[in-house]
Amino acid sequence: MPVRQHQARPPRPRGRAAAALVLALLAPLLLWLSPAPAHAVDEPAETDPLAVSIDELDTVSLDGRTKGRITVRGKVVNTTEDEWNGVRIYPFIGDTPMTTSEELAEAAKMPADALVGERIVAEGAYATVPDLAPGETYSWSLKLPRKLLHVTQAGVYWFGVHALGAPSPTTADGRARTFLPLVKEPNKKAKAQKVSLVMPLRRSVVYNADGSVNYLRGWTRDLSAGGRLFRMLETGTEIPSLTWAIDPALIDAVRNLAEGNPPRDLSPTDGSGEEPEESGSQSASPSVSALLPSAPASADTAAAKTDEETEAAQKAAKVWLGRLEKALAGHNLLALPYADPDLSALATNDPDLLATAREKTAQALTELGIKATSAVAPPTGYLDRAAVNLLEPGSVNLVSDRMFRGSAPVVADLDGHQMIVTSSGAAAGGPGPNDPVDAVSVRQRIVAEAALRRGSGKPLVAVIPDGWHPPQTAASFVTPWEKAPWIASSTLSEAVAGHKPTSVTVDRLRYPRREMKAEVSADRISAAKELIGAGELLQRVLTHNDEVADDVVSEALTTTSYSARKGDTDSAANALDHISSELSSITVSVPPKVILSSMKGGEFQVTLSNELDEPVTVRLDAITDDSLRVATSEPVQLDANSKASFNLAASMHDTGTHTALIVVTDTKGNPLGAHASVPIRPSQVSGVIWWFVGTGCALLFAAIAVRLTRRIMKAKKVRTSTGAM
């Protein structure tokens, strides 16, 4: 097993280290002498009485012109218990441009009430909001003349709106902020900045103990029209040169929902008992028919009644799968390892499980008719050295620029393992108080980072953050992007074309301690491995099912995913208990005791019972000491919910009583869980009886002989006495 080491920063100079040590020793005294802080550290941030959002911004950037208008739309919510009236939404813009990514990162962390720009109060530049009752929401819209934005220097500016109510006409009662770059000379296509967007299609997938998908309400919400996953497809369809990073586990889970979310299927899969299918041709290319699940295997499954929650999820899943083909068509596709497992954790604890995840992805995509390039894209952007060593040749490996000390290259090469470097700033989203990963915040952070790279020759590769909230309408997000002539939407290969991999050494890599602590635990990985073994055991027992082990692999891998770092920790254990219970329902019963007629051998009867609804094939094995031998059985096939009795042969080497543990196993001798113990001894009285019988016979014959002898002797004496007379 590889040795894990925290990749720390380079050692500090001795002078700095000594100073740090002195400060550490004096820290308790300084804290004791320092005055109490004005506010407690854990004091929660105050919520604006008017919660404001920017939902649409019809431009991604400004240019040197002062003509035209900028349209901004959003919502305002009264979060108080009082009615608000006379509310106005005023735009504002900063007066000093930011010119580096570091400045953007610092700006994104600034407090919500920090003064970052002057409010524009010109008549007609603001929006008026009707009276707002407690909890009421209002959608506002304003058109801002470009000439009122007095900015001319290239760079990235603060831009946003303030909500002001009548009680406080000069103090903002609500704020929404984002970034807005000014890019000059936008018509020179030769200087267009290459931007490559990667959108991960992944989500937390958790299975119940019986193999059905958990948390149906969340899935229904995300898959339905207006839901997050639905809007991702709608938006991704329209984004030019988009690259999808697909986790097949997500598609499999949705297909399971579209089938009615059945539990793990133990029914025959080898064609036994099924009607022959009608002949016909099938297309190998991705299609709706390939993505949508096939009809249920049995009439019982089709006729099973489902509750409203399951029906809602099923309906949403079918609609979503129907739109998936259109969303993927014409785009570049990357295939993540199945269930997007924690690469660094698996590389350290079980590299074979990572290989299993890759094989599972290849299998799933082949079944779906989807062609994609193998890839990895850790959500945090970090890989440790062990994970880098397991990167596949020819795969697309996306890592964050935060993984490198100093200036990050476009493409890094570590001992032959190549990695495309993505922008951590673009993935971080926008500033508060809004959600940093809402649609406008993420888009404007990406274009801001791109604007600052313009002219550097370096492309911008941006991975959309997993928590991203897609826009309500794709056009509001994509159209302004397409209208920006200084942005050249590029595929990954186009973006990095002409940039040779830069060789890096291990000491340039960063793998923070927080990443190591956050990894999926070794115990959970071990539980996933054990669950996979239980699935293989279950499949060997089922006479006509050759797919259940593969289904269990899918379930087990989801417990090792990045999303499982803080998720459900018991799903693997629960599934393992469920499968163990099913295997243990194949039981054996034995007599209370067995007395062999002879130590040389004898037989006793046992009964196997199958309480499963499917036929099984098992064996019986015996665990004994050296003095007792019980023959194992041949494989026994039991029909569903049936019993079978047969004899087992036994022999002994002494006259004592010995116990045999009769164990139910698969055909390879692996125990299933059920067992029964039986005491066995030979008939100890049999030898004594024959000794007594033999001795009795001998005495009887001796007595007869004695009596005959006496009679003969007596007869002789009588004749002798008679003759003498």
Side-chain angles (χ1 to χ4, degrees), residues 189-240:
K189 295 183 178 181
K191 294 184 179 180
Q193 173 63 37
K194 290 183 178 180
V195 180
S196 180
L197 296 182
V198 180
M199 187 178 296
L201 192 59
R202 55 189 171 193
R203 182 193 189 277
S204 173
V205 178
V206 179
Y207 286 94
N208 294 314
D210 65 355
S212 59
V213 179
N214 191 14
Y215 192 40
L216 297 190
R217 291 184 180 179
W219 281 100
T220 302
R221 180 194 63 229
D222 288 352
L223 296 172
S224 299
R228 181 176 176 274
L229 291 176
F230 187 92
R231 286 182 286 130
M232 282 184 66
L233 296 187
E234 296 293 285
T235 306
T237 301
E238 304 299 330
I239 296 178

Side-chain angles (χ1 to χ4, degrees), residues 656-713:
T657 299
H658 301 271
T659 299
L661 185 66
I662 309 302
V663 182
V664 185
T665 73
D666 65 1
T667 55
K668 293 185 177 181
N670 299 297
L672 305 186
H675 56 79
S677 59
V678 55
I680 302 176
R681 65 179 177 85
S683 180
Q684 297 177 350
V685 296
S686 60
V688 177
I689 290 174
W690 285 113
W691 184 84
F692 276 111
V693 171
T695 302
C697 291
L699 291 174
L700 176 62
F701 288 127
I704 293 173
V706 170
R707 295 187 71 175
L708 287 173
T709 302
R710 286 179 178 176
R711 286 181 180 181
I712 293 172
M713 293 295 292

